[in-house]
Amino acid sequence: MKIEASSGKATPNRRTGSDVFLLLGVALLLDFIGFCNVPARVDVTHNSAAYIEMTQHGTGSVESPFRYRLLVPSLARQFPLPAEKALLVITHLSLVGCLFLAMLIGRRIGLSLPACIFGATALFCSRAIVYNYSNPYMTDGVALLALFVMVYSYLGEQETVFGIAALVGILAHEITVFLVPAFLFSRRWKRGLAIGALSAFALVLTRFCLGPGYAGNLNREFHFASYHWSHPFEWMKGVVLAWYLLWPLFVMGITRLPAKRFPLFVCSGLLTGGAVFLSSFVMDTERTYSILAPVMAAGVANVFDILWKKSRAQAIGLFTVVFAQIAAAEVYRAGAKNLPLLALGSVPAILYLAYTGMIFRGHPRPQGTSSPGSTV
C-alpha cells in the first residue's frame, strides 16, 4: 500500500501482471481443491431439478420463479454436455471468478497480497460458499459473480460495468437487485437512477414475457416465515453458522478500511438488509447470506492485513485458528449436530478473536479518503 506523506491518505495498490496471474492462480487452486474435496451431491434438490429441467426443455417446463432465471440454463444448453455437467462447469467457472475478484477488491482498497489471499481463502472455507460446491446445479454461482463485479466496479465508479453486471445478475437470480441502489449514494446518482430503472424494467419484462404465477410460491414462503418466527433459535443458528467466526472479523475489518470506506459501508448495508429480508422467507439460510461474500472478503482481509503489518506471527495465528473453526462449522453442517462439542472446539478461536479485538482497540482508525474514484 502506498502512503502519501503529505496527506496521510491511503491509496489503492496498482495491479501488475505478476500480481494478477498470482491471484488468478490462487483462485484456480482453491476451486480445484473444492472440486476434489467437496463432491457434488447425487440427490438433487427441488430447485436444482428445476434448473436441470430448464436446461433440457426450456423455460416453459418449470414453474415460477425458476423460469425467470433463464440466463444460466440457456447458457448451459449451449454446452455439448449433459445438463448436470454443464451447470457444474458454469458454477465452477463462476466461483473462480468470485474468488479472483475477492482478491482484486482487496487490492483496490489498498490491502497487501497476503491479506487478499487470506480473504479469498476465508470465503472458500465458509459454509456460505461451500454450499455452491456441494450443490453446483443452481444459478447462485453466476449471481454471486455478478455481485462481485458490481462491488468491484462500484469502487471504481464504473457505472456501465455495474449496470451490465446488475442485468446479468437479475437474469441469473434476482438477488442482485439489493445492490442496484448503491450508485444512488455516489456522486453519479443520476446514472444510478438510470441503472435502477433498467434493472426494474428487466425484472418486469421477464415476468411479463414468461408469465405470472407466483402466488403459490408466496404461500409457501409465508409458511417459512411463520416457521422462523416460531423457531427463532434455529433461524439465528443458521445465520451465525453461515459465516461463523468471520462475522466478528468482518465487523472489525470493515470499520478500519484503508480506503473506500464509505462505498463499502453502502454495499455492506444494502447486502445485509437484503440477506435479512430474504432469510425470513427461505429455509436454506447459507444461500441468502452468501450475498455478503464481496464485502465479507474485504473486511476479513483487512484484519489480516493490519495484523500482518504488526506481527507475522499474529497474522498466521489468526489464519490457522479461524480456518480450524470454520472447518468445525462445516462438520456441523455435514451431520455432526452436537453444539456443545462445536462450542468446545471453538474456544481457542474465540479466545484468539478476543485477543485480536484487544489489539484493534488500540489500533487507530485510518484517516484516508473514502472516495471511490481511484482506479486500480
Side-chain angles (χ1 to χ4, degrees), residues 83-164:
E84 296 89 341
K85 298 295 184 183
L87 290 171
L88 183 145
V89 169
I90 292 173
T91 293
H92 277 276
L93 290 175
S94 300
L95 291 173
V96 170
C98 291
L99 295 170
F100 180 54
L101 281 167
M103 292 181 278
L104 291 186
I105 288 171
R107 295 297 284 168
R108 175 154 280 187
I109 62 176
L111 304 183
S112 63
L113 281 174
C116 295
I117 293 172
F118 174 83
T121 311
L123 292 188
F124 169 75
C125 293
S126 66
R127 173 178 177 177
I129 298 300
V130 166
Y131 177 88
N132 293 279
Y133 286 96
S134 63
N135 189 12
Y137 314 118
M138 306 280 282
T139 64
D140 295 24
V142 174
L144 276 177
L145 178 59
L147 285 174
F148 272 94
V149 174
M150 290 170 73
V151 172
Y152 184 73
S153 58
Y154 179 60
L155 294 177
E157 290 192 327
Q158 299 164 307
E159 63 276 358
T160 302
V161 177
F162 182 93
I164 293 172

Side-chain angles (χ1 to χ4, degrees), residues 240-292:
V240 170
L241 290 179
W243 293 109
Y244 198 40
L245 296 180
L246 298 189
W247 282 116
L249 289 178
F250 165 68
V251 174
M252 284 189 282
I254 207 72
T255 57
R256 290 173 170 80
L257 292 168
K260 302 184 184 295
R261 289 188 299 281
F262 180 74
L264 279 172
F265 285 158
V266 170
C267 293
S268 299
L270 292 174
L271 292 175
T272 301
V276 172
F277 174 77
L278 285 176
S279 67
S280 303
F281 296 95
V282 299
M283 298 300 292
D284 42 1
T285 308
E286 67 266 26
R287 286 183 62 210
T288 58
Y289 280 87
S290 67
I291 67 175
L292 285 165

Side-chain angles (χ1 to χ4, degrees), residues 208-254:
F208 177 78
C209 295
L210 300 176
Y214 201 65
N217 289 3
L218 286 177
N219 292 332
R220 183 183 64 184
E221 289 166 0
F222 280 123
H223 171 73
F224 290 159
S226 63
Y227 177 84
H228 288 318
W229 282 110
S230 59
H231 299 80
F233 177 73
E234 290 295 321
W235 183 25
M236 290 306 301
K237 183 173 66 177
V239 172
V240 170
L241 290 179
W243 293 109
Y244 198 40
L245 296 180
L246 298 189
W247 282 116
L249 289 178
F250 165 68
V251 174
M252 284 189 282
I254 207 72

